Amino acid sequence: MRYFALLAFALLCAAPALADQSSQHAKDVKLSQDIYNEYDAKHLIDHHSPYNAVLQRVGAKISSAAQPHWFTEKFVILRAGDLNAYATPGGIVFVNSGLLSNVDNVDELANVLGHETAHLTLGHLDSQQTQAARKSFLYKVGHMFSNGSQAAQIGYSAGTALGNYGFLNYTRQQEYAADQLGVTYAARAGFNPWGSVWFFDELERTVGDAGYEQYVERHPSVTDRIQKLEAYIKENPQSFGRWKNRRPSTTGLPQG
């Protein structure tokens, strides 16, 4: 009898926390949908991209490998030329067309999506706790895309819309954690985790040490991330031993 009384008491104590969590999840889903709606109203979402099929296929595998998670993950392509991707608190992952046209293979894409999914599952996108620290976010993002070209104006509009919400700006430790869990998700989904290293190698050659997720203020250097990822993959043969650091012969994502 005493056991059941204690159990009932524990459940009563847990109920408010569960209710608060459910309420926050609902707010996060609404926030993600608001961002999507704003992008769509500005015609920034590419509903007919030739890369949509491969993005949905790879994204579904990564999301499944990351289960269990509370959110319904969705993958959306933005009309923007810079190599960028980011997740929003309610589970929508936005991927720029510029990134999709520059990755060489599905393994690289899978590792990018694994990284973004890891930010979600690790709780790095708690919008409620991080809003106050991002007051300068809108200005900084807008300033990045102020050179006047059409691509820059698209980027500016996307950055401005995202800046209205301002939940990004991961710490270095969060980025390292998302890198490691991201390659784990990629391998679990059947993709080569070395794709993460290949992607960062190409990124370093293309845009230097700035990295992708370019709206993030304090991300670690690309060189540092490559070194840490190589060490992590080599130090965990039980998870990654079947994979070799050999790039596939094909280049570019399949279109259609």
Side-chain angles (χ1 to χ4, degrees):
M1 189 71 177
R2 183 180 177 185
Y3 169 79
F4 289 109
L6 289 172
L7 179 60
F9 178 75
L11 291 173
L12 285 172
C13 291
L18 292 173
D20 288 345
Q21 185 179 57
S22 178
S23 175
Q24 184 58 43
H25 288 171
K27 291 177 182 177
D28 287 343
V29 169
K30 183 179 184 304
L31 174 60
S32 285
Q33 190 61 48
D34 286 346
I35 295 170
Y36 178 95
N37 292 341
E38 187 163 352
Y39 282 167
D40 205 25
K42 294 177 183 293
H43 307 290
L44 295 173
I45 295 177
D46 191 345
H47 295 282
H48 306 290
S49 169
Y51 298 110
N52 188 58
V54 67
L55 176 65
Q56 302 308 322
R57 176 171 61 85
V58 175
K61 290 184 177 181
I62 294 296
S63 188
S64 178
Q67 291 283 0
H69 50 68
W70 67 267
F71 51 87
T72 300
E73 195 165 16
K74 300 176 183 177
F75 300 90
V76 176
I77 300 174
L78 289 181
R79 301 176 188 274
D82 53 311
L83 278 68
N84 204 11
Y86 43 86
T88 56
I92 298 179
V93 176
F94 292 99
V95 183
N96 284 6
S97 56
L99 187 146
L100 293 167
S101 63
N102 277 278
V103 296
D104 274 349
N105 51 68
V106 292
D107 295 307
E108 293 182 15
L109 175 61
N111 280 274
V112 170
L113 300 183
H115 176 91
E116 296 306 323
T117 302
H119 278 311
L120 287 163
T121 58
L122 289 169
H124 294 168
L125 286 155
D126 189 338
S127 59
Q128 189 176 46
Q129 295 181 16
T130 58
Q131 288 287 345
R134 279 90 168 139
K135 290 183 179 179
S136 64
F137 182 83
L138 175 58
Y139 168 77
K140 290 178 180 178
V141 171
H143 182 70
M144 289 168 54
F145 299 103
S146 58
N147 67 17
S149 68
Q150 182 178 9
Q153 290 305 313
I154 291 174
Y156 179 85
S157 297
T160 301
L162 187 62
N164 289 334
Y165 305 98
F167 48 80
L168 292 179
N169 193 22
Y170 310 117
T171 67
R172 291 189 178 209
Q173 292 308 312
Q174 286 175 328
E175 288 286 56
Y176 293 142
D179 281 346
Q180 292 185 359
L181 188 55
V183 299
T184 300
Y185 288 160
R188 195 180 293 169
F191 299 98
N192 193 329
W194 286 100
S196 60
V197 174
W198 307 336
F199 174 74
F200 280 125
D201 279 340
E202 293 165 8
L203 194 66
E204 193 170 34
R205 289 195 298 269
T206 304
V207 299
D209 213 32
Y212 87 111
E213 289 184 327
Q214 296 165 25
Y215 302 139
V216 178
E217 292 179 351
R218 298 194 303 270
H219 56 67
S221 71
V222 173
T223 302
D224 192 35
R225 294 172 78 170
I226 290 172
Q227 292 173 348
K228 288 185 180 299
L229 277 167
E230 287 179 336
Y232 181 70
I233 293 171
K234 291 176 181 177
E235 290 167 2
N236 290 276
Q238 70 280 8
S239 298
F240 310 118
R242 60 174 285 209
W243 305 103
K244 305 300 180 184
N245 187 9
R246 288 199 293 264
R247 297 172 187 257
S249 57
T250 56
T251 59
L253 294 175
Q255 300 183 42

